């Protein structure tokens, strides 16, 4: 008899785990990049795909993957993210049934887990939309600005102070590139490991303005090799933010728990899910957890 499935392919958790595993194994293989990992730039792709959400109009967010198209792909904030989109193309070719918007967010969740970060429960259901759904420029944060700007941008998405601080803790990962944002350098010495180092350094280091021709950024007094953005420094200038910075600097478990909750929320903004259940993916054996 004919045992081939009838009707459209309906992927299960096991199918999404296969996608997760393929991303994780590509991350483990492709080490000839930055500090040895595409993980940080995958996290940034998931964040910039999601962080365009506007709760008033319900526009933007990860549903749609409109960063595939100009003008959104050309927005200044998205400079360098083609690297992340291209990294995921072979995965899309291997699993053509997954939407780009599910793939990009799953890529971010995978990259955090594979960097020894917290578990990021994830659910499918995003649909790709066309160029008409591109968001206007200016919805993502500008690193040259202050706490008022951070609150403007993130309250538009529906986040409170605590959630804003937790989210920006993702700056444990990766680095700035002069040919992308104009800023330069990593936030800590292990930019491929997800930790609370960003908060510890913010509290414990002395930060001075970097002397260079580039945009205003800050340098640690001890080594002169690490960096903070003006918006990062705003997290210790502002009392409402600082109490969470100090808490996360002392308590990595609290940071992991609260980051996971708020990153899940970020990746789901504006998505009309049909299911309540989230998948918890098994991390690869090569992670340091
Ligand atoms: Fe960020 N980020 N980010 N960021 N971000 C940059 C890099 C990375 C801001 C500015 C910059 C979040 C919030 C903010 C990551 C994750 C997250 C760079 C450097 C700038 C500039 C880009 C480059 O030159 O390549 C600002 C401003 C904010 C803010 O909120 C005020 C959040 C919420 C996240 C998140 O993931 C939840 C990651 C990861 C990187 C490293 C990328 C890389 O290529 O490495």
């Amino acid at each position: 008899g004919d045992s081939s499935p009838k009707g459209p392919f309906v992927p299960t958790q096991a199918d999404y785990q296969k996608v997760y595993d393929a991303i994780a194994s590509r991350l483990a293989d492709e080490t000839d990049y930055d500090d040895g990992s595409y993980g940080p730039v995958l996290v940034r792709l998931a964040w910039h795909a999601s962080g365009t959400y506007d709760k008033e109009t319900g526009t933007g967010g990860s549903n749609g993957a409109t960063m595939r198209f100009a003008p959104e792909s050309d927005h200044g904030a998205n400079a360098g993210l083609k690297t992340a989109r291209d990294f995921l193309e072979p995965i899309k070719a291997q699993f053509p049934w997954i939407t780009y918007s599910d793939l990009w967010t799953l890529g971010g969740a995978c990259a955090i887990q594979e960097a020894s970060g917290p578990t990021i429960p994830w659910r499918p259901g995003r649909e790709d939309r066309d160029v008409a759904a591109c968001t206007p420029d200016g919805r993502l944060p500008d690193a040259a600005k202050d706490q008022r700007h951070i609150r403007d941008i993130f309250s538009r998405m529906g986040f409170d102070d605590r959630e804003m601080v937790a989210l920006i803790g993702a700056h444990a990962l990766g680095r700035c590139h002069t040919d992308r944002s104009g800023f330069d350098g990593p936030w800590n010495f292990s930019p491929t490991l997800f930790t609370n180092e960003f908060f510890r350094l913010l509290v414990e280091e002395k930060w001075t303005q970097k002397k260079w021709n580039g945009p205003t950024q800050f340098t640690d007094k001890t080594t002169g090799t690490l960096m903070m953005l003006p918006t990062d420094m705003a997290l210790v200038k502002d009392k409402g933010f600082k109490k969470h910075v100090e808490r996360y600097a002392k308590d990595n478990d609290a940071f992991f728990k609260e980051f996971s909750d708020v990153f899940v929320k970020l990746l789901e903004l504006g998505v009309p899910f049909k299911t309540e259940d989230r998948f918890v993916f098994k991390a690869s054996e090569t992670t340091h957890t």
Side-chain angles (χ1 to χ4, degrees), residues 33-34 40-41 43-44 47-48 79 141-143 150 154 167-168 170-171 173-178 180-183 187 229 231 259 263 266:
Y33 174 73
D34 270 9
V41 79
V43 173
R44 192 163 202 243
W47 139 236
H48 279 206
D142 175 349
I150 298 175
F154 283 89
L167 275 175
I168 297 170
H171 284 172
L173 291 176
R175 57 169 56 243
C176 297
H177 306 77
T178 51
R180 296 180 182 178
S181 60
F183 299 97
W187 287 269
L229 299 165
T231 44
F259 179 84
F263 195 71
L266 173 71

Side-chain angles (χ1 to χ4, degrees), residues 56-70:
E56 296 301 323
T57 59
T59 58
S62 64
N63 197 41
T66 48
M67 203 201 295
R68 285 169 298 147
F69 311 115

